[in-house]
Amino acid sequence: MDSVSPAISPLAAELRERINATGGLPFADFMAACLYHPYYGYYMTSRDRIGKGGDFFTSSSVHAVFGRLIARQLVQMADLLGGETFRVVEQGAGEGHLALDILEALAADAPELYARLNYTLVEASPDCRARQARRLAAHGGRVDWCGADEWVIANGCFLSNELVDAFPVHVVEKQGGRWRERYVVNARDGRFAEELRDPSTPTLEDHFRWLGAAPIEGNRAEVNLLAPAWMRQVGERIERGFVITIDYGYPAAELYAPHRRDGTLLCYRQHQADDDPYSDVGGKDITSHVDFTALQLAGEEVGLECLWFGEQYRFLMGLGFFEELLRLQEQCSDEREARALRLTLKHLIVPEQGMGETFKVLVQGKGVGHPELLCTRPISAIPLQGL
């Protein structure tokens, strides 16, 4: 048993009481409380989470070009579907940056679509809803909010950006050929600690059989049981349309590769990453990388076909990233401003320290056939003159 950082927050005190009453919590339950406790959860309280003054950046907070390019893909999807109303449902919209950039782009560049657009935000956090409402006030006639069970798409697209990585995960390890699960317990010195125990649910072992991939003996790994269930629910709520899922992660074979010995769990606070979820409980983000194979398999079970999957940089370049960069550069007053623009936008596409490779995009469709989407444009077809 390894003890870790002191528990000092009101949420930590409440969790200690729960642990005393139950004898221990699966890490998934602990993470759920840290992020979504109605009074103390990281996503439920009023705080700056995104941007320079927050804890992390998202692609949509880097520059409006991210939302503008997604808007281009939505325009094509709307043209393919036809119909009187095109509904976009975005879940987990955070501060509303992406929604605003998409709505601004459609209002300016696709007024016909904007006029028949319904943009619905699915948001559990009252604080986030309030921030979104303020940011999107100019588009009030096109925007509404609902709960996770209150939407359907007859004709449109479901969109999420960095949502699934914040779903609570179970943490498991195979020892002696048996699955073991990490529980959070109270140590004698007032800290939280971990214990390996028998799995809290047989669904964990069933999940790996269904997935066809698993971590090797001795490797620690996260299991996001909520993600495939969520994807099935999304697919069941769509009559005809598309799903765009953007997040950091890997296919299952890479996520559970032998070299990934300690899993992918990370915490973020004030743009600093650490691997200690037991300190500053409720005061920092906790995430794990997304298993995109699980999302694809679950989608197939409810009629969602994979239309495209790949790195974010390929997705954005297919939609016209370089052409948009050239257009924006022409509007710069001098080379210094243009250089600053390039440095900002490179974070969306470069690997390693940027978001271009670790972030992936999964595009699925239901009842739409197999259209040639704009995002699938090969890099060899992109004009690079002037860069």
Side-chain angles (χ1 to χ4, degrees), residues 104-167:
E104 293 282 318
L106 294 179
D109 302 331
E112 182 277 330
L113 174 56
Y114 182 81
R116 61 185 180 94
L117 178 73
N118 169 244
Y119 202 108
T120 299
L121 294 99
V122 178
E123 182 57 65
S125 167
D127 178 57
C128 287
R129 279 200 184 198
R131 290 169 184 249
Q132 293 160 9
R134 290 193 294 270
R135 181 160 277 114
L136 302 176
H139 300 279
R142 304 264 66 87
V143 179
D144 60 23
W145 282 261
C146 73
D149 312 350
E150 299 170 347
W151 63 272
V152 293
I153 290 178
N155 203 64
C157 179
F158 182 91
L159 172 65
S160 68
N161 178 43
E162 293 191 57
L163 170 71
V164 184
D165 64 83
F167 286 2

Side-chain angles (χ1 to χ4, degrees), residues 170-338:
H170 296 262
V171 181
V172 300
E173 187 176 315
K174 184 177 278 189
Q175 291 189 346
R178 295 176 52 211
W179 287 110
R180 307 282 282 168
E181 181 173 3
R182 290 189 180 261
Y183 275 66
V184 182
V185 298
N186 292 326
R188 292 182 180 178
D189 61 1
R191 302 168 182 243
F192 290 118
E194 295 179 342
E195 282 184 1
L196 279 177
R197 299 181 179 178
D198 290 334
S200 60
T201 170
T203 306
L204 288 167
E205 189 168 353
D206 295 340
H207 176 83
F208 288 123
R209 281 196 292 266
W210 167 79
L211 188 63
I216 64 170
E217 178 85 13
N219 277 14
R220 176 174 176 159
E222 301 85 34
V223 184
N224 191 334
L225 295 180
L226 293 178
W230 167 80
M231 182 57 78
R232 294 183 190 103
Q233 292 169 357
V234 168
E236 289 169 352
R237 291 183 172 275
I238 296 175
E239 296 178 22
R240 184 166 177 261
F242 299 88
V243 179
I244 301 176
T245 306
I246 306 169
D247 221 316
Y248 46 90
Y250 305 102
E254 188 174 353
L255 184 65
Y256 297 126
H259 71 272
R260 213 174 298 283
R261 298 191 57 82
D262 298 317
T264 65
L265 196 74
L266 282 175
C267 307
Y268 293 92
R269 186 174 185 277
Q270 296 180 349
H271 300 284
Q272 297 296 314
D274 68 73
D275 59 0
D276 178 13
Y278 306 112
S279 64
D280 194 17
V281 173
K284 58 185 176 181
D285 195 16
I286 308 174
T287 76
S288 68
H289 281 49
V290 173
D291 178 354
F292 279 97
T293 300
L295 295 183
Q296 290 185 51
L297 290 174
E300 290 170 2
E301 294 175 1
V302 291
L304 290 173
E305 296 185 72
C306 178
L307 303 179
W308 191 84
F309 173 67
E311 298 88 351
Q312 177 172 289
Y313 80 90
R314 293 182 181 274
F315 176 78
L316 295 178
M317 287 198 292
L319 292 174
F321 177 87
F322 285 127
E323 294 95 323
E324 188 67 13
L325 173 58
L326 287 174
R327 185 186 71 83
L328 292 172
Q329 281 190 150
E330 290 175 355
Q331 298 175 2
C332 293
S333 58
D334 54 38
E335 177 54 30
R336 182 177 179 180
E337 184 181 350

Side-chain angles (χ1 to χ4, degrees), residues 69 72-73 76-77 244 307-309 311 313-320 361-363 372-379:
L69 293 176
R72 287 184 183 175
Q73 185 57 82
Q76 186 201 21
M77 289 173 170
I244 301 176
L307 303 179
W308 191 84
F309 173 67
E311 298 88 351
Y313 80 90
R314 293 182 181 274
F315 176 78
L316 295 178
M317 287 198 292
L319 292 174
V361 182
L362 173 62
V363 184
E372 186 174 327
L373 297 175
L374 292 175
C375 66
T376 66
R377 182 175 56 152
I379 294 177

Side-chain angles (χ1 to χ4, degrees), residues 39-55:
Y39 301 115
Y40 306 125
Y42 175 80
Y43 283 109
M44 307 303 283
T45 54
S46 180
R47 68 176 74 236
D48 289 332
R49 284 171 280 266
I50 301 172
K52 184 179 294 186
D55 298 317

